[in-house]
């Protein structure tokens, strides 16, 4: 028994390195270095855990510009067997509908049994892509997953989900799309040899929209949503006073609570 | 859209504002009633009807309550296949109802279940879906304007969906006031055809444990704990008791399992707006600030003078929470007693 496990990883601006634009005093994401979306590192860990349980192959997938290749190298360094870069100008302007279509077709082309994703991306933070992939393919979905339990003898994957006011254990038939809850899978460090291989010898497979036969179904034109405007929000004005004594704080608290 | 593509939909065929009423074993998530109130405002502006969507098993009472809280109509899909929630049967049922009834707008609570559900149903409907919305309105053309924080809350982006229907949004819990029940409910309850069967389902819920269902969004005072408490909630709890405050948390504290997810504040948790918010051992990450920015007075207790939370607090103290919290609690107990009497 062995499963093919695809993992969606995305390149995003590094939140920790986002500087302040000196002219506007606002966050300047454009100049931040690009990194792997932190929740996707945990998705990789979950995928590798499933591989540890059933055997098989883990294939990292990203849809993005050619330079997103670096996140695939990181994925391979962490232990992925292979990686696919889905890149095409036709994808420009895609919202979550065509993005999840693209990843759904990629997963089909790979004959994936499981697709693992992060909870959400730090740049678009929708969390819509994993259910979207599942919906496009008519597959099962398990979101906010905190633990995975592969059951190859049943052709199912069971998972512990974090739901409102509790937890549930759900078993889903393969193929299934999993989105892992952020903060639950501690990513394993990349091995040195693997890292050298990933950086020097590894080349990801490259697919275009045409390869996936979705050229007319992606990009700005088929995206149902569009940005109607951006308003800057004035930061909340806080006093920012630091007091030295607990007494002073007690006084403030008494006033506010009165 | 160009002419040779699949024919676009006629957006004029779609009307009514739908609100998805999320229930778990008979309990309705508070955000659903918040959306009913906001949905009412949109429906009035548009001259449309407000429709509550109730999916579950034995949900008569919930349907009645939705009417009492202001729905013009309640669409009910009542069947054992819908309890507990699973994405595949709910998704299929919703798709069929959208096809039949053609709603213009569909609002869904931004809970884990709501986001799981919305992401699935938007795809087959080819609907426009905006996540994590904190403001909604309709423009002069009757188009939904869904606003959401972007770039760490620095910007409010307005997302539109011009050529597709329904216009869908998941909305962050705690942002709006809930609709209150009234006695003058005169709407109707409509039974929808149930289109799914258990045999077609591709997932199975094996176990379900109910945890903490606290609603921190209504609290007037909050003491929130972060990773800095290192598993010991006692000092913060003492302070919370002295202040008669609810306990809440950063995601880091929730992820460690120290406190339940129902109490998480932030982008992927709840938006709170207490008069007083005390952040204990919380660094002040943007995702956390997004959920607490609407608070009245913000107080920070942190042993790192450079913690960003101090820039987002009205008053702060640099110190070890293990000492500061009980000390504060002691002093307050005396003083608050006087105020209350
Ligand atoms: C997609 C995504 C969504 C997220 N959503 C949320 C969200 O909804 N809500 C949220 O909160 N976070 C969210 N986060 C996480 C967020 O980025 C931060 O990691 C998190 O808020 C940090 O929590 P913290 O401040 O408790 O922990 P830390 O950042 O570790 O801070 C702990 C603080 O405690 C202080 N401290 C330590 N010991 C003591 C002591 N003895 N006395 C006093 N102070 C002490 C430290 O100086 C430090 O400032 C999200 C992240 C991502 C990527
Ligand atoms: N362009 C992409 N390429 C690969 N995976 C993606 C992409 N966009 C989103 N994902 C996956 O979907 C998850 C949720 O993303 P989002 O819906 O954008 O918040 C991410 O954590 C990734 O695992």
């Amino acid at each position: 028994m062995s499963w093919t496990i695809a993992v969606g990883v995305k390149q995003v601006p590094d939140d920790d390195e986002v500087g302040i634009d000196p002219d506007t005093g606002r966050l300047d994401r454009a100049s931040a270095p690009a990194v792997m979306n932190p929740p996707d590192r945990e998705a990789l860990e979950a995928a590798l855990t499933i591989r540890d349980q059933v055997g098989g192959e883990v294939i990292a997938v990203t849809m993005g510009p050619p330079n997103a290749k670096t996140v695939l190298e990181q994925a391979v360094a962490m232990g992925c067997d292979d990686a696919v870069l889905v890149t095409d100008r036709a994808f420009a302007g895609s919202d979550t509908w065509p993005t999840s279509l693209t990843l759904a077709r990629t997963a089909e082309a790979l004959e994936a049994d499981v697709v693992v994703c992060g909870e959400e991306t730090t740049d678009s933070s929708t969390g819509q892509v994993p259910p979207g992939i599942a919906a496009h393919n008519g597959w099962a979905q398990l979101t906010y997953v905190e633990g995975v339990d592969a059951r190859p003898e049943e052709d199912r994957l069971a998972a512990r989900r974090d739901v409102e006011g509790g937890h549930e254990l759900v078993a889903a038939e393969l193929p299934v799309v999993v989105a892992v809850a952020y903060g639950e899978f501690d990513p394993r460090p990349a091995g040195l040899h693997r890292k050298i291989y990933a950086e020097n010898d590894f080349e990801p497979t490259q697919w275009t929209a045409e390869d996936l036969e979705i050229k007319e179904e992606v990009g700005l034109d088929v995206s149902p949503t569009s940005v109607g405007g951006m308003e800057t929000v004035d930061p909340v004005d806080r006093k920012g006073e630091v007091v030295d004594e607990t007494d002073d704080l007690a006084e403030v608290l008494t006033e506010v609570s009165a | 859209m160009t002419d040779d593509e699949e024919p676009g939909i006629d957006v004029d065929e779609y009307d009514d504002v739908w609100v998805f009423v999320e229930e778990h074993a008979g309990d309705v998530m508070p955000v659903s009633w918040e959306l009913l109130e906001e949905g009412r405002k949109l429906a009035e502006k548009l001259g449309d009807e407000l429709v509550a969507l109730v999916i579950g098993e034995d949900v008569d009472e919930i349907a009645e309550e939705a009417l009492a809280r202001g729905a013009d109509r309640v669409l009910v899909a009542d069947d054992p296949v819908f309890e507990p929630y699973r994405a595949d049967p709910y998704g299929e049922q919703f798709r069929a109802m959208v096809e039949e009834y053609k709603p213009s707008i569909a609002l869904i609570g931004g809970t884990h279940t709501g986001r799981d559900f919305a992401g699935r149903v938007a795809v087959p409907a080819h609907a426009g879906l905006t996540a994590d919305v904190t403001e909604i309105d309709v423009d002069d053309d009757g188009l939904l304007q869904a606003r959401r924080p972007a770039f760490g809350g620095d910007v409010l982006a307005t997302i539109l969906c011009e050529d597709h229907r329904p216009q869908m949004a998941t909305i962050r819990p705690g942002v709006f006031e809930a609709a209150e029940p009234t006695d003058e409910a005169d709407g109707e309850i409509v039974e929808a055809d149930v289109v799914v069967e258990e045999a077609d389902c591709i997932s199975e819920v094996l176990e379900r444990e109910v945890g903490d269902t606290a609603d921190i969004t209504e609290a007037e005072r909050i003491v929130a704990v972060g990773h800095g408490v290192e598993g010991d909630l006692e000092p913060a709890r003492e302070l919370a008791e002295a202040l008669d405050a609810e306990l809440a948390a950063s995601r880091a504290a929730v992820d460690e399992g120290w406190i339940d997810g129902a109490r998480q504040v932030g982008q992927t948790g709840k938006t709170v707006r207490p008069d007083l918010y005390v952040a204990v051992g919380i660094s002040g990450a943007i995702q956390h600030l997004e959920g607490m920015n609407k608070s009245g007075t913000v107080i920070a207790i942190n042993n790192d003078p450079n913690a960003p939370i101090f820039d987002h607090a009205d008053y702060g103290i640099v110190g070890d929470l293990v000492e500061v919290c009980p000390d504060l609690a002691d002093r307050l107990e005396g003083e608050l007693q006087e105020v209350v009497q």
Side-chain angles (χ1 to χ4, degrees):
Chain A
M1 211 97 45
S2 74
W3 288 0
T4 301
I5 305 153
V7 189
V9 293
K10 189 184 176 193
Q11 193 179 45
V12 298
D14 187 349
D15 264 343
D16 294 333
E17 297 292 327
V18 173
I20 308 272
D21 185 322
D23 296 333
T24 62
R26 296 186 174 280
L27 295 179
D28 177 17
R29 283 187 167 234
S31 62
V35 294
M36 187 188 300
N37 178 43
D40 298 349
R41 290 165 39 79
E42 305 197 0
L44 285 167
E45 176 57 34
L48 295 168
T49 304
I50 297 173
R51 188 185 65 185
D52 293 343
Q53 292 172 354
V54 279
E57 259 197 318
V58 176
I59 304 169
V61 174
T62 194
M63 163 184 159
N67 67 13
K69 197 180 119 183
T70 48
V71 297
L72 296 178
E73 287 171 3
Q74 289 164 21
V76 168
M78 236 180 103
C80 287
D81 300 281
D82 206 347
V84 181
L85 172 66
V86 189
T87 187
D88 199 315
R89 297 196 97 107
F91 293 135
S94 291
D95 72 359
T96 54
W97 199 96
T99 299
S100 48
L101 174 72
T102 306
L103 294 170
R105 289 296 172 269
T106 307
E108 258 179 355
L110 292 171
E111 297 184 29
D113 298 294
V114 182
V115 178
V116 188
C117 291
E119 177 175 319
E120 54 178 55
T121 48
T122 52
D123 61 344
S124 55
S125 58
T126 73
Q128 281 164 204
V129 167
I133 298 170
H136 275 295
N137 285 349
W139 293 356
Q141 74 189 47
L142 298 166
T143 55
Y144 303 99
V145 162
E146 295 188 345
V148 287
D149 171 17
R151 300 183 174 180
E153 66 290 346
E154 303 171 10
D155 267 332
R156 295 203 294 183
L157 178 82
R160 181 177 149 89
R161 297 188 61 222
D162 178 9
V163 294
E164 275 62 46
H167 287 91
E168 62 182 24
L169 183 68
V170 188
E173 288 171 25
L174 303 185
V176 56
V177 180
V178 172
V180 302
Y182 183 54
E184 297 296 328
F185 291 87
D186 204 4
R188 61 191 73 182
L192 186 59
H193 289 290
R194 213 52 213 163
K195 218 166 156 175
I196 293 169
Y197 162 73
E199 279 165 22
N200 299 301
D201 300 321
F202 173 76
E203 275 301 318
T205 308
Q206 275 205 26
W207 284 342
T208 62
E210 205 133 0
D211 293 332
L212 296 169
E213 297 177 3
I214 48 172
K215 205 164 177 77
E216 306 301 322
E217 296 169 77
V218 292
L220 193 63
D221 288 350
V222 302
S223 294
T225 60
S226 58
V227 178
M230 292 271 200
E231 270 166 68
T232 50
V233 181
D234 289 328
V236 191
D237 211 9
R238 296 284 176 198
K239 294 196 185 66
E241 243 173 71
V242 172
V243 301
D244 295 325
E245 302 293 331
T246 348
D247 262 342
D248 303 333
L249 210 51
E251 222 168 275
V252 175
L253 284 173
T254 316
E255 255 167 56
V256 180
S257 310
Chain B
M1 281 239 173
T2 48
D3 292 337
D4 52 327
E5 275 177 55
E6 63 180 273
I9 61 155
D10 180 2
V11 298
D12 295 331
E13 280 183 13
Y14 290 72
D15 45 34
D16 292 346
V17 176
W18 280 17
V19 169
F20 173 63
V21 178
E22 179 186 337
E23 68 91 29
H24 298 282
D27 288 331
V28 175
M29 298 303 289
V31 66
S32 302
W33 303 141
E34 293 162 18
L35 299 188
L36 212 53
E37 180 71 17
E38 273 317 285
R40 159 102 284 147
K41 293 179 194 159
L42 300 184
E44 272 166 15
K45 275 194 195 168
L46 293 167
D48 277 351
E49 298 217 306
L50 176 66
V51 179
L53 196 64
V54 179
I55 306 179
E57 182 187 12
D58 297 333
V59 287
D60 293 352
E61 267 176 44
I62 295 171
E64 295 288 348
E65 187 170 356
L67 284 185
R69 291 190 192 248
D72 296 310
R73 195 157 8 106
V74 184
L75 260 180
V76 179
D78 196 322
D79 195 274
V81 77
F82 299 126
E83 192 61 53
Y85 167 86
R86 283 174 296 173
D88 49 304
Y90 270 64
E92 182 53 22
Q93 181 65 32
F94 184 85
R95 188 199 56 72
M97 293 191 335
V98 164
E99 230 162 63
E100 183 170 354
Y101 298 98
K102 298 193 170 31
S104 175
I105 292 174
L107 307 178
I108 295 163
T111 58
H112 285 189
T113 297
R115 294 178 81 167
D116 184 81
F117 170 68
R120 181 145 194 128
V121 299
V123 160
H126 208 143
L129 172 58
T130 309
D132 199 29
V133 169
T134 56
E135 285 180 26
I136 46 175
D137 204 350
V138 286
D139 67 13
D140 297 338
D141 301 323
L143 214 54
L144 180 72
Q145 298 177 309
R147 297 205 178 82
R148 59 170 313 206
F151 307 125
D154 242 20
V155 165
L156 205 58
T158 302
I159 311 293
L160 304 173
C161 165
E162 290 175 271
D163 304 321
H164 294 259
R165 291 293 178 274
Q167 309 165 80
M168 292 177 53
T170 56
I171 307 216
R172 193 179 307 167
V175 177
F176 300 116
E177 298 277 330
E180 293 301 329
T182 59
D183 299 332
E184 27 187 312
D186 53 4
E188 55 167 345
I189 294 179
V190 179
E191 293 275 343
D193 287 336
V194 172
V195 302
V196 279
E197 280 179 41
E198 187 54 49
D200 301 328
C201 291
I202 47 180
S203 58
E204 181 190 359
V205 178
L206 304 175
E207 280 169 35
R208 200 159 209 283
E209 347 148 353
V210 178
D212 190 345
T213 51
D215 183 13
I216 54 167
T217 65
E218 301 280 315
E220 283 171 24
R221 287 184 285 274
I222 286 181
V223 172
V225 298
H227 202 261
V229 303
E230 293 180 8
D232 182 10
L233 299 190
E234 221 21 65
R237 193 168 278 143
E238 240 178 271
L239 180 57
E241 267 164 30
L243 286 167
D244 190 19
E246 278 281 353
L247 218 49
S250 74
R251 175 143 186 175
V254 170
D255 287 344
E256 292 286 354
W258 300 335
I259 187 163
D260 200 273
R263 294 180 186 266
Q264 182 188 318
V265 172
Q267 182 206 312
T268 48
K270 294 191 172 114
T271 291
V272 294
R273 47 177 80 235
D275 300 332
L276 173 68
Y277 190 88
V278 188
V280 180
I282 290 177
S283 61
I286 45 175
Q287 292 96 346
H288 186 78
L289 298 174
E290 262 190 38
M292 53 155 266
N293 266 339
K294 297 226 154 69
S295 307
T297 304
V298 173
I299 311 261
I301 301 171
N302 198 304
N303 63 4
D304 173 7
N306 297 318
I309 189 72
F310 287 120
D311 297 331
H312 302 274
D314 294 297
Y315 302 95
I317 189 161
V318 180
D320 190 337
L321 65 93
V322 178
E323 285 156 25
V324 176
C325 288
D327 196 14
L328 258 183
D330 282 348
R331 279 159 217 260
L332 286 169
E333 236 126 52
E335 296 190 37
L336 280 184
Q337 227 70 50
E338 287 164 30
V339 177
V340 173
Q341 254 122 61

